[in-house]
Amino acid sequence: MLKAFLKDRLLLIILYILNLASILLFFYLNVPANTEFFYPISIGMFFLLVYLVIDWLRYYPANSGVARQLRNQDAHLEAYTEEQKGFKELLSKTVGEQSQKYTELKEQNKERLYFLSHWMHHLKTPVSVIELIINKEEKTEALDKIQLENKRLHFSIEQGLTMIRMDSFENDFELKAVDLLSTLRKLINSRKREWIYQSIFPSIEFEEEQAIIITDSKWNEILIDQIISNAIKYSGEKDGNKKLVFQIERKAEHICLAIVDQGVGMPDYDLERVFQPFFTGENGRKYPNSTGIGLYLSKKIADKLGAAIEIQSELGKGTTVRIKWLAGKND
C-alpha cells in the first residue's frame, strides 16, 4: 500500500523537488557568493516529509478498508478527503441500487418457483390417477408399458421438485445414522417392474448385516435413486443377462458404495462434464429421453450431504459410480 501511495504522489514529489531546485538556482545566480545549499534543502525536504506523513495518515484508513473488503473481510470505510467522500457516496449509492435490484429479482424468482412447484404438484395428481386405473385393470403388455412410462413421468416430476427444493436444502435436512443396506433394498423393491421390463438383475454384495452411514435418509435416497435411474435408462438392449451390482465396502472411517452397471457406458471425453447441468453427451444423441439432470442432482446432493462421488465408465462395457460416506456405529 505504501508503494501505491508513493506512486500516486510521484509527480507531486518530482515537481516539488524541481521547484526547490529552481529557487536555489535562482538565489545562487543572484548571489554567487552564497554557497549554502544543505540548510534550505533540509528545510524543504522536511516540509515535504511532513506533508507526505499527513497525507499518508488520511490515505491509509480508507484504502486499507478497501483492501480488506476486496479480500472479503469486514471493514468500515472511513473517508477524510473530499475525493474519498465522493467515492464513498458513489459506492453507497451503487450498492443500494444493486441491493434493491437483487431483492426484486429474488422475489420474482421466489414467486416463479412457488407457481412452478404448485404446477408440478398438480401434475402428480393425474399421474397417481393413471396408476390407480392401471392397477384396477387386467394386466396386459400394453398396460405394463403405459405403467412404466407413467412411472418415468412421475420420476421426472420428482426430479423437478427436487431441483426446486435444493434452494432450501438446509431447511429440510437432518443428519442421522442410516442403514445403507435398508435404503438399497427399499429402492430396489420400488423398481421391481422396471427390473423385469429391462431384464436387469440387481444384487447387493456385502458380508455384514448393517452398513450404517451418517447422512439424511430422504436426500440420500434421492441421491442413490438418481444413479439407479441412469443405470436403467442406459442399460442398452435387453439381452436377459445384464446385472446391476451394489458393492459395499468398509474403509477405515468411511463406507463406500460402488454401483456397477453393464450398460452402454460413456466415452472418456464425456466423463469430465457428466456432473454439469443438462449435459447429455454422446448418449444424449442416442437416447431421446436423456435430460442431463440425474448426475447433476446426484453431485449437488452429495456435496450438501458431505459425501464424495466419482464416476468411471468405459464405452460399451458399463459405468461405475462410487459414493463415500462417513461411517456410523452399528447397533
Side-chain angles (χ1 to χ4, degrees):
M1 189 178 296
L2 180 60
K3 184 179 178 181
F5 170 77
L6 293 174
K7 184 178 178 180
D8 287 345
R9 282 143 185 83
L10 182 61
L11 181 61
L12 182 141
I13 294 171
I14 292 173
L15 289 175
Y16 181 88
I17 293 174
L18 288 174
N19 183 57
L20 181 62
S22 299
I23 294 172
L24 290 174
L25 181 62
F26 173 79
F27 280 102
Y28 174 74
L29 294 175
N30 281 277
V31 188
N34 187 1
T35 58
E36 179 59 50
F37 293 105
F38 179 75
Y39 181 73
I41 290 176
S42 299
I43 293 296
M45 297 307 293
F46 172 75
F47 282 116
L48 176 61
L49 182 62
V50 169
Y51 166 77
L52 291 175
V53 169
I54 294 173
D55 197 25
W56 168 257
L57 294 175
R58 300 166 66 186
Y59 174 92
Y60 178 77
N63 286 273
S64 64
V66 171
R68 286 196 297 272
Q69 288 199 4
L70 288 174
R71 294 194 298 266
N72 296 322
Q73 298 175 356
D74 292 333
H76 177 66
L77 294 180
E78 297 183 12
Y80 293 95
T81 67
E82 293 303 316
E83 182 183 32
Q84 292 172 356
K85 291 176 181 177
F87 276 110
K88 184 178 180 181
E89 185 177 348
L90 177 62
L91 180 62
S92 298
K93 180 182 177 182
T94 304
V95 170
E97 291 174 353
Q98 294 302 318
S99 296
Q100 183 178 357
K101 289 181 181 178
Y102 173 76
T103 302
E104 291 174 358
L105 289 173
K106 190 176 180 180
E107 288 299 319
Q108 290 176 7
N109 186 56
K110 185 178 179 180
E111 184 178 5
R112 290 192 188 100
L113 288 177
Y114 174 79
F115 285 113
L116 181 61
S117 176
H118 274 257
W119 176 70
M120 296 187 79
H121 275 292
H122 282 303
L123 283 178
K124 292 175 69 174
T125 302
V127 170
S128 299
V129 172
I130 292 172
E131 182 71 18
L132 289 173
I133 293 172
I134 292 172
N135 289 332
K136 289 182 179 179
E137 297 294 327
E138 185 177 347
K139 297 299 178 184
T140 63
E141 185 177 351
L143 281 179
D144 285 341
K145 290 180 179 180
I146 293 172
Q147 187 173 41
L148 181 61
E149 294 303 321
N150 193 53
K151 284 191 174 182
R152 288 177 179 172
L153 178 60
H154 180 266
F155 182 78
S156 296
I157 294 172
E158 287 297 330
Q159 269 191 333
L161 291 172
T162 299
M163 293 183 71
I164 294 173
R165 296 187 193 111
M166 289 296 293
D167 289 336
S168 56
F169 185 92
E170 290 75 12
N171 299 328
D172 187 21
F173 172 70
E174 181 185 3
L175 282 178
K176 61 181 181 180
V178 176
D179 183 13
L180 181 59
L181 279 173
S182 298
T183 299
L184 292 177
R185 292 187 184 113
K186 176 182 175 182
L187 294 174
I188 290 171
N189 289 333
S190 68
R191 291 179 176 269
K192 284 182 179 179
R193 289 186 177 274
E194 291 176 82
W195 305 127
I196 297 171
Y197 184 78
Q198 295 294 137
S199 299
I200 301 174
F201 299 92
S203 63
I204 300 174
E205 295 182 358
F206 190 55
E207 296 179 356
E208 301 178 33
E209 294 183 359
Q210 285 185 317
I212 304 299
I213 58 175
I214 305 300
T215 188
D216 179 276
S217 58
K218 185 186 77 173
W219 285 106
N220 197 58
E221 286 182 12
I222 296 173
L223 161 63
I224 299 173
D225 201 39
Q226 297 296 322
I227 299 168
I228 294 175
S229 176
N230 261 27
I232 296 173
K233 185 186 300 181
Y234 302 113
S235 59
E237 297 295 330
K238 295 183 286 183
D239 58 12
N241 296 315
K242 293 188 182 296
K243 295 181 180 179
L244 181 63
V245 184
F246 300 87
Q247 299 171 344
I248 304 175
E249 186 179 0
R250 190 181 297 275
K251 294 183 179 179
E253 297 179 350
H254 295 89
I255 285 181
C256 303
L257 169 66
I259 303 176
V260 185
D261 69 48
Q262 297 177 340
V264 296
M266 288 179 282
D268 293 338
Y269 51 80
D270 279 350
L271 289 178
E272 295 181 359
R273 300 177 59 192
V274 291
F275 292 123
Q276 294 179 6
F278 308 110
F279 176 75
T280 57
E282 189 70 27
N283 287 334
R285 299 176 180 87
K286 301 175 182 177
Y287 297 87
N289 60 341
S290 300
T291 60
I293 296 176
L295 288 177
Y296 163 73
L297 282 178
S298 299
K299 176 64 174 173
K300 292 283 288 185
I301 295 171
D303 290 343
K304 296 278 189 180
L305 293 174
I309 182 170
E310 61 181 26
I311 186 168
Q312 294 176 333
S313 187
E314 188 174 350
L315 190 61
K317 293 188 177 180
T319 300
T320 299
V321 179
R322 289 184 173 85
I323 313 172
K324 182 171 69 175
W325 299 268
L326 183 66
K329 295 182 179 179
N330 290 350
D331 296 337

